[in-house]
Amino acid sequence: MQDTHIIPFDKSRRHGRGATTNPDGRFETAERDFIDDGWGTAEQNDTDRLKTTVTMERPKSIISRNMSPDLPFDRSVNAYRGCEHGCIYCYARPSHGYMNLSAGLDFESKLFAKPNAAELLASEISRPAYQCKPIALGTNTDPYQPIEKKLGITREIIELLAETRHPFTITTKSDLVLRDLDLLAPLAKDNLVSVGISVTTLEKKLARIMEPRASAPHKRLEAIETLSRAGVRTSVLASPMIPGLNDHELERILMEARAMGARSAVYLLLRLPRDVAGLFENWLLENFPDRAAKVMKLVRSTRDGKDYDAEFGKRMVGTGPYAALINKRFRLACQQLDFEGSRYDLATDLFLKPGRDTRQMDLF
């Protein structure tokens, strides 16, 4: 386990959350401890349910770019920081450290929203030098996490992308994506959108404690079916595969998703960067004490004996016999189920910069 300073949280306070602890942010210069001063304050605080707070921020730019050879896209947009879904394995958790917050419970309870995201995006794709390529929504935090139902920032972004005929992909583990089917279905006819639904497990009990505020597995499968029937190209993301915990479900997840209409599939091996390793191991010890040691041993066997290896070419699929076996199983299952290839080969030649009068173009 990583050497992190642990802030204890009573189970009653963190009911419905993924992380079991709230370690200090890695950029913090001081460590915090709860001390009972004799007035009962600590006991009283422990009975208060941890509430979600949302802070509005107004960034100066919205498109994030990457040059990673492991990723099939070079640009993404995230409407939110932090994610209330609370997935214990989330590789984005350490990013909360840049806000001087914890990757643990802070990440899933202290959220940030970007209400000017669509406005910023319109400005950035209007620039003369801008070259149109698919924009990925939901690469860091889920664009359809619960607060999206009220704030609607993701929908505003999609409305802009629809107006400008800009291609984009969506990655989510929420059936809230169906709310925007009225926008997605027409775009799909012109090959301007594809949706990836993450299905980590089909076991409801495991899903509830591993990704507590995400849609139930059967709701995600139903979302795949509804999207597919509406003509939206839909993929299943069997990710992450966790050795010794959910990897035995790989073929069944792919089969169920294919039966619902998924046209392509992706899997990723569990990634435990920075703070996530300690958070995940603490979660294992609390929820699966009899299997924790075995799971971590298998995880490390796929990472050259470490909790994680961030090297390009290795970080997504791991190394070693166990990782190779998962990869072989995935490829064989995709072949047998006749899955298609990439979901990023979207149309880019229909793009119209914001503000352009498309009615005039219709005359020619």
Side-chain angles (χ1 to χ4, degrees):
M1 187 185 301
Q2 289 189 341
D3 184 18
T4 55
H5 183 66
I6 303 301
I7 304 294
F9 265 83
D10 185 86
K11 280 188 176 183
S12 63
R13 287 197 66 201
R14 54 181 169 82
H15 178 74
R17 301 291 180 176
T20 60
T21 58
N22 204 45
D24 293 320
R26 68 181 188 276
F27 299 118
E28 293 296 297
T29 58
E31 294 182 348
R32 297 164 295 163
D33 275 308
F34 287 121
I35 299 176
D36 187 353
D37 58 6
W39 292 97
T41 306
E43 295 179 4
Q44 182 179 355
N45 287 340
D46 282 346
T47 63
D48 294 337
R49 185 70 59 85
L50 186 64
K51 296 179 175 62
T52 299
T53 63
V54 182
T55 300
M56 298 298 168
E57 65 167 317
R58 292 188 172 273
K60 295 181 179 180
S61 63
I62 197 66
I63 297 180
S64 300
R65 297 182 182 270
N66 77 84
M67 299 179 64
S68 170
D70 294 327
L71 299 176
F73 56 88
D74 68 354
R75 64 200 67 186
S76 60
V77 169
N78 290 282
Y80 304 102
R81 292 182 190 264
C83 186
E84 197 175 6
H85 281 162
C87 306
I88 187 57
Y89 51 74
C90 184
Y91 60 82
R93 284 180 175 273
S95 64
H96 240 43
Y98 296 112
M99 310 301 289
N100 290 327
L101 293 171
S102 172
L105 291 166
D106 282 352
F107 177 78
E108 53 196 274
S109 63
K110 296 181 179 181
L111 312 179
F112 296 82
K114 306 171 186 178
N116 63 333
E119 178 185 348
L120 285 173
L121 183 57
S123 175
E124 292 179 38
I125 65 177
S126 296
R127 293 171 182 167
Y130 180 79
Q131 295 183 347
C132 178
K133 289 184 180 180
I135 290 177
L137 306 182
T139 57
N140 198 53
T141 56
D142 202 305
Y144 287 102
Q145 59 178 290
I147 58 173
E148 166 62 19
K149 185 177 295 186
K150 177 181 179 181
L151 299 179
I153 299 174
T154 295
R155 184 172 176 91
E156 291 178 359
I157 293 171
I158 294 176
E159 287 174 339
L160 170 67
L161 295 172
E163 177 186 342
T164 58
R165 316 298 288 166
H166 194 299
F168 64 100
T169 65
I170 295 172
T171 301
T172 183
K173 49 173 58 74
S174 173
D175 65 339
L176 181 58
V177 65
L178 298 179
R179 178 202 64 186
D180 296 334
L181 193 57
D182 62 315
L183 296 173
L184 302 178
L187 292 170
K189 293 180 180 180
D190 292 326
N191 192 31
L192 289 169
V193 64
S194 69
V195 178
I197 303 293
S198 174
V199 182
T200 312
T201 177
L202 298 176
E203 298 177 8
K204 291 184 178 180
K205 182 178 180 181
L206 176 58
R208 184 177 294 275
I209 58 176
M210 186 166 64
E211 38 198 29
R213 301 199 179 189
S215 296
H218 73 277
K219 299 293 288 184
R220 298 182 220 177
L221 290 173
E222 290 172 3
I224 291 176
E225 182 179 34
T226 303
L227 288 164
S228 299
R229 285 186 175 180
V232 179
R233 191 200 305 188
T234 310
S235 305
V236 59
L237 284 68
S239 302
M241 285 291 101
I242 305 173
L245 190 63
N246 73 336
D247 66 299
H248 66 282
E249 296 187 70
L250 176 58
E251 288 84 357
R252 187 181 165 210
I253 290 172
L254 297 178
M255 288 176 62
E256 292 283 348
R258 188 72 176 101
M260 291 296 189
R263 291 171 54 181
S264 60
V266 176
Y267 93 96
L268 298 175
L269 194 66
L270 175 69
R271 298 164 58 188
L272 297 176
R274 298 185 182 275
D275 319 51
V276 185
L279 292 167
F280 180 77
E281 190 167 0
N282 281 322
W283 175 86
L284 271 178
L285 288 168
E286 177 171 299
N287 293 285
F288 300 96
D290 56 331
R291 278 193 278 173
K294 178 182 178 181
V295 170
M296 290 307 301
K297 182 178 180 179
L298 288 173
V299 168
R300 289 168 183 141
S301 77
T302 68
R303 301 294 183 183
D304 295 324
K306 300 174 288 187
D307 289 333
Y308 182 55
D309 185 350
E311 183 180 341
F312 288 147
K314 295 181 179 180
R315 59 181 184 149
M316 302 296 191
V317 295
T319 58
Y322 202 93
L325 178 60
I326 294 177
N327 186 275
K328 185 175 181 179
R329 288 169 52 201
F330 172 78
R331 294 185 180 279
L332 181 60
C334 287
Q335 183 179 1
Q336 293 174 338
L337 294 169
D338 195 27
F339 275 118
E340 298 176 0
S342 173
R343 64 190 183 99
Y344 288 89
D345 53 346
L346 302 173
T348 59
D349 58 341
L350 302 177
F351 174 59
L352 297 168
K353 291 187 182 294
R356 188 169 179 176
D357 192 344
T358 56
R359 293 173 299 176
Q360 288 293 325
M361 294 300 295
D362 291 340
L363 297 177
F364 299 94

